[in-house]
Structure formats: structure tokens, C-alpha cells
Amino acid sequence: MQCTKTMGGKVGAASSKMKDLDTSEDEDGSASLAKEKQKLRKLFGVCPLCKSCHTYKRKKDGDIWPSDRMSSCEEFRKKSEAHRASLLELQ
Ligand SMILES: [Zn+2]
């Protein structure tokens, strides 16, 4: 009897915890978003030029997300400018 009672209490606590998670959609959402971002960061890796992870501001909600676009790299922009300049000088 005692055992059943304890188990019942445990189940009750667990289900109330789940309810908490259910109502706090923001927390759950940002947790999975953070995981998603971490996944992307790993996927894109660090930039070979500036050795840091690039990010971009998502237009939809202004959220900052990892980016694999070289165009968001300041070093790349500087380099391409230098490249352009040297090309112009050669002409
Ligand atoms: Zn970079």
C-alpha cells in the first residue's frame, strides 16, 4: 500500500512538472532554439578568415542566428576590397 502511494505521488509530481513545461512555451521554445543554433554553429564552424563564428539577424523576428555566409565577415569584406583595389591597380 505504502509503495503504491509513493508511486502515485511521484506520478503526480511528474505530471505537474510536465504541465509547467507545457504552459511555459517560451522556455521550451528558446531551449530548442538554442539547441538548433548550437547545431548550426557546429555545422558552419568558425570562419577561416577571422576565426570566429558569424551570425546574422533573422528578418522574421530579429533573432541572432549562426551564419555561414562569407559576406557577413568583416575580414572577407576587407579582403575583397583589397582584392578589388589591387585588381584596379593592375589595370
Ligand atoms: Zn569571418
Side-chain angles (χ1 to χ4, degrees):
M1 265 315 214
Q2 275 246 328
C3 191
T4 325
K5 240 184 182 176
T6 321
M7 272 177 79
K10 259 189 184 171
V11 168
S15 70
S16 79
K17 236 187 183 178
M18 275 173 81
K19 251 188 184 174
D20 274 354
L21 279 172
D22 230 27
T23 46
S24 58
E25 263 178 43
D26 268 339
E27 230 179 83
D28 193 36
S30 64
S32 59
L33 272 183
K35 264 189 191 172
E36 193 67 30
K37 285 180 190 178
Q38 217 169 28
K39 218 164 71 180
L40 286 174
R41 230 173 276 146
K42 263 189 192 169
L43 187 74
F44 297 154
V46 295
C47 169
L49 286 176
C50 66
K51 313 284 180 208
S52 65
C53 294
H54 290 274
T55 53
Y56 75 98
K57 208 176 195 181
R58 205 161 62 166
K59 271 184 188 169
K60 198 174 89 182
D61 48 13
D63 204 13
I64 304 293
W65 279 79
S67 167
D68 64 341
R69 285 183 200 174
M70 289 299 273
S71 58
S72 61
C73 178
E74 293 235 340
E75 288 297 315
F76 176 76
R77 273 191 232 164
K78 271 188 221 162
K79 274 212 169 173
S80 61
E81 253 173 55
H83 267 290
R84 260 179 261 154
S86 67
L87 281 172
L88 283 173
E89 271 166 35
L90 280 170
Q91 277 178 348

